Amino acid sequence: MKHLSDLRRTKRQQRQLISQSELSLAGDFISQTIAELSQFTTAKNIGLYWPIDHEICTQTLISLCLKQDKAIYLPKTIPDSNTLLFVRYHADSVMGLDKHNIPCPQQCEDSVIANHLDLAIIPLLACNEKQYRLGYGGGFYDRTFSGQTNTYLIGVGYDFQLDSRFKEAQHDLQVDQLILAQTAYAKRW
């Protein structure tokens, strides 16, 4: 367990070294790559996230979804079950913070559970070659998508987050596809 705590801390520290211009470029690259996928083209209901702590920026992808009349849903934690509910996002949505300080729309009337999403874009702290993701340690995405096969899952991050030291556990979420943006930070290794 200490190994995973150390790995999480290291990856978060590495993300903090990414410049604002690299954050923007990485977000644009990820958005363009996802926009070219058939899973995106056919998706009507898309789970995204509002980035925190230098996660891949999703604003370009959110704008594209809105232009294409795709329904966007952002995660909100459900404290009793430690899972996620996905709340509909509109361009004029008023954003707030959930119990874990995750940005999400304040109005929750139009929300869905994970298996109603066609596609979900999921942030990560680390991942491995087998496409397992390591998150912040709460297990929210792991529990939410456990055993669920309706939603195509894409893990997004930076190239330095691919780390062979991360050995997945039985409960860790395996995504269908990883898309990692190259950064100058990774080149400094």
Side-chain angles (χ1 to χ4, degrees), residues 36-57:
E36 294 172 359
L37 297 174
S38 63
Q39 291 86 353
F40 176 81
T41 304
T42 59
K44 295 189 182 346
N45 299 307
I46 299 178
L48 280 162
Y49 62 92
W50 201 268
I52 59 169
D53 195 30
H54 280 80
E55 290 173 335
I56 291 289
C57 182

Side-chain angles (χ1 to χ4, degrees), residues 14 18 22 25 158-161 181-189:
Q14 290 172 336
I18 299 171
E22 284 182 299
L25 288 171
Y158 304 98
D159 50 3
F160 63 82
Q161 292 176 295
Q182 188 175 28
T183 63
Y185 176 78
K187 295 174 191 170
R188 292 191 293 261
W189 276 79

Side-chain angles (χ1 to χ4, degrees), residues 164-187:
S164 61
R165 295 175 295 171
F166 168 48
K167 306 296 181 205
E168 73 278 356
Q170 183 177 358
H171 65 269
D172 287 320
L173 180 63
Q174 185 178 31
V175 296
D176 296 301
Q177 185 170 358
L178 283 172
I179 302 177
L180 305 175
Q182 188 175 28
T183 63
Y185 176 78
K187 295 174 191 170

